[in-house]
């Protein structure tokens, strides 16, 4: 079907000097943060253009302060193509934006169709298995190739520019957020060094994948040994649904610790992580956010491949025990195909590698 549709849509397009660009990666936080590399490359190519990021309300909080964005286009839902109602509401918002270029980092065929129906003259996007049939600048990708998501996203902007572009994922820390985080540290008499940790993750509007979480008792064991070695306190973070999990981890801690679960904005979390000795988290959006904010970040990875999903920022450590992952990845792990004790990196190995990372 896609091969037939591809022939029905022309591929002639020009990107001479767009004035209004819509940049599309609606969900989810980790993917949105990884897309900031492509955003920075796009801003480099078109420094004077108005760039609006089309993003859902859940994920917008992570990137709305990014200096390369002129506006945030609310997609109405983090998964705006899921129902006819959200699709057509999103389409109306695209039309109202009067954009002359769209940069789509979404693999859905409905996204390519929406941009065509919105009348956007240049539509550049990912073409996975023919799903980008309605783009007139199609960037083919192989879904089986082990490529990092940020590098895949960069290919779209590189195709527009006509040259290979490179950038890291980035979320510059604002002075406002830095001042708020430091004031809170002072109010609780927490000085350097301190470790920021998030034991949760795997929960977003697109999926619920608790299998991506390192076991709480083992997570605490890593924190105890690293914090003891560096004479550091631990600050536990999390969202509204992480209180019980954070309490379970805290119950295993033998070092000084505080719980700031559901008490900071994403901006403030980035600022706090950037000031910390270390940030430790699972394969989750918050770890990507911390790394992109300039933190020394450790990502504990399980049923997902670091070659695809590790932080795309310079100062990070992805801890992963090389194992054969099924095509379904974390989704299959949720059905019982992943066992952390058997398949995951051990506490001893994690501590050894983290201490070596800190000693660099």
């Amino acid at each position: 079907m896609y091969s037939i549709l591809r022939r029905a849509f022309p591929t002639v397009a020009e990107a001479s000097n767009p004035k209004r660009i819509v940049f599309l990666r609606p969900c989810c936080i980790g993917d949105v943060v990884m897309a900031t590399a492509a955003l920075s490359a796009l801003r480099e190519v078109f420094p004077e253009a108005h760039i609006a990021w089309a993003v859902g309300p859940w994920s917008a909080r992570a990137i709305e302060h990014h200096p390369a964005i002129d506006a945030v286009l609310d997609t109405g839902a983090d998964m705006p193509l899921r129902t006819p109602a959200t699709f057509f509401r999103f389409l109306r918002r695209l039309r109202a934006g009067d954009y002359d270029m769209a940069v789509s980092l979404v693999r859905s065929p409905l996204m390519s169709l929406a941009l065509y129906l919105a009348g956007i003259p240049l539509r550049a996007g990912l073409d996975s298995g023919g799903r980008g049939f309605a783009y007139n600048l199609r960037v083919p990708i192989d879904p089986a190739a082990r490529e990092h998501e940020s590098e895949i996203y960069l290919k779209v902007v590189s195709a527009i520019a006509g040259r290979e572009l490179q950038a890291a994922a980035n979320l510059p820390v604002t002075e406002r957020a830095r001042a708020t985080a430091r004031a809170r540290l002072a109010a609780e008499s927490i000085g350097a060094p301190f470790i920021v940790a998030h034991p949760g993750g795997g929960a977003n509007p697109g999926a619920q994948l608790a299998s991506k979480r390192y076991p709480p008792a083992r997570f605490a064991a890593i924190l105890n040994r690293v914090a003891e070695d560096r004479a550091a306190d631990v600050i536990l973070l999390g969202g509204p649904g992480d209180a019980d999990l954070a309490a379970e981890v805290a119950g295993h801690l033998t070092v000084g610790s505080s719980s700031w679960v559901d008490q900071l904005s994403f901006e403030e979390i980035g600022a706090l992580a950037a000031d910390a000795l270390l940030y430790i988290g699972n394969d989750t959006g918050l770890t990507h956010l911390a790394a992109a904010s300039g933190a020394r970040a450790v990502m504990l990875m399980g049923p997902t491949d670091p070659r695809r999903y590790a932080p795309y920022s310079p100062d990070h450590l992805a801890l992963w025990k090389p194992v054969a992952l099924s095509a379904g990845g974390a989704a299959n792990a949720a059905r019982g195909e992943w066992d952390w004790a058997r398949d995951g990196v051990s506490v001893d190995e994690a501590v050894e590698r983290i201490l070596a990372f800190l000693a660099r």
Side-chain angles (χ1 to χ4, degrees):
M1 179 183 69
Y2 290 136
S3 62
I4 296 172
L5 289 170
R6 285 168 64 91
R7 291 195 292 270
F9 290 85
T11 56
V12 177
E14 294 184 5
S16 55
N17 188 29
K19 292 182 173 59
R20 293 182 60 80
I21 302 172
V22 59
F23 182 85
L24 301 108
R25 180 67 251 188
C27 185
C28 293
I29 291 172
D31 298 299
V32 164
V33 173
M34 287 188 283
T36 58
L39 172 71
S40 295
L42 185 68
R43 176 55 75 194
E44 176 188 337
V45 177
F46 302 110
E48 303 301 323
H50 179 280
I51 299 177
W53 190 322
V55 62
W58 172 262
S59 303
R61 298 172 300 156
I63 50 84
E64 58 190 356
H65 63 283
H66 199 290
I69 302 171
D70 294 298
V72 170
L73 174 65
D74 184 0
T75 58
D78 283 83
M79 309 294 284
L81 310 176
R82 180 168 286 178
T83 69
T86 56
F87 177 90
F88 286 108
R89 182 165 62 243
F90 176 47
L91 181 57
R92 288 194 296 272
R93 292 177 181 179
L94 285 173
R95 286 175 174 166
D98 194 27
Y99 302 110
D100 45 17
M101 177 188 289
V103 180
S104 174
L105 310 181
V106 182
R107 292 169 171 85
S108 168
L110 290 175
M111 182 60 79
S112 71
L113 180 62
L115 296 177
Y116 172 80
L117 294 175
I120 299 174
L122 174 59
R123 304 175 302 280
L126 300 175
D127 186 21
S128 176
R131 293 179 178 86
F133 62 87
Y135 299 136
N136 47 16
L137 180 54
R138 302 167 187 157
V139 180
I141 60 170
D142 179 1
R146 287 174 171 168
E147 296 181 275
H148 197 282
E149 282 292 288
S150 288
E151 293 173 356
I152 291 172
Y153 299 160
L154 280 164
K155 286 183 177 182
V156 180
V157 185
S158 296
I160 294 170
R163 67 182 192 276
E164 185 175 351
L165 299 170
Q166 295 183 347
N170 61 95
L171 282 173
V173 173
T174 65
E175 289 302 321
R176 174 187 60 196
R178 179 177 285 113
T180 301
R182 289 179 177 175
R184 170 139 197 173
L185 287 167
E188 298 201 15
S189 301
I190 299 174
F194 61 91
I195 296 170
V196 177
H198 176 223
N204 58 60
Q208 300 294 319
L209 299 170
S211 57
K212 295 169 73 174
R213 297 175 183 170
Y214 201 77
R218 297 175 70 187
F219 195 101
I222 293 173
L223 291 174
N224 281 330
R225 289 171 60 180
V226 175
E228 286 170 3
D229 184 87
R230 289 305 181 106
D233 289 325
V234 172
I235 300 173
L236 295 175
L237 300 182
D242 291 329
D244 290 343
L245 179 61
E248 184 177 357
V249 172
H252 292 285
L253 291 178
T254 57
V255 295
S257 65
S258 301
S259 178
W260 293 8
V261 172
D262 198 27
Q263 296 181 32
L264 301 179
S265 69
F266 283 144
E267 282 185 77
E268 291 160 359
I269 288 172
L272 180 70
D275 272 354
L277 169 71
L278 188 69
Y279 177 100
I280 302 179
N282 297 308
D283 175 10
T284 178
L286 216 57
T287 307
H288 283 284
L289 183 147
S293 298
R296 265 186 164 179
V298 172
M299 179 178 279
L300 298 165
M301 303 195 73
T304 46
D305 194 331
R307 287 168 290 189
R308 295 176 183 262
Y309 302 115
Y312 202 66
S313 306
D315 203 9
H316 79 271
L317 173 65
L319 291 176
W320 186 62
K321 177 181 174 181
V323 292
L325 296 174
S326 63
N332 279 352
R335 295 191 286 270
E337 296 184 9
W338 177 265
D339 180 82
W340 275 103
R342 180 193 66 211
D343 303 319
V345 65
S346 70
V347 171
D348 287 342
E349 182 181 356
V351 171
E352 180 182 357
R353 293 184 60 189
I354 290 170
L355 292 179
F357 175 60
L358 287 172
R360 289 191 321 188

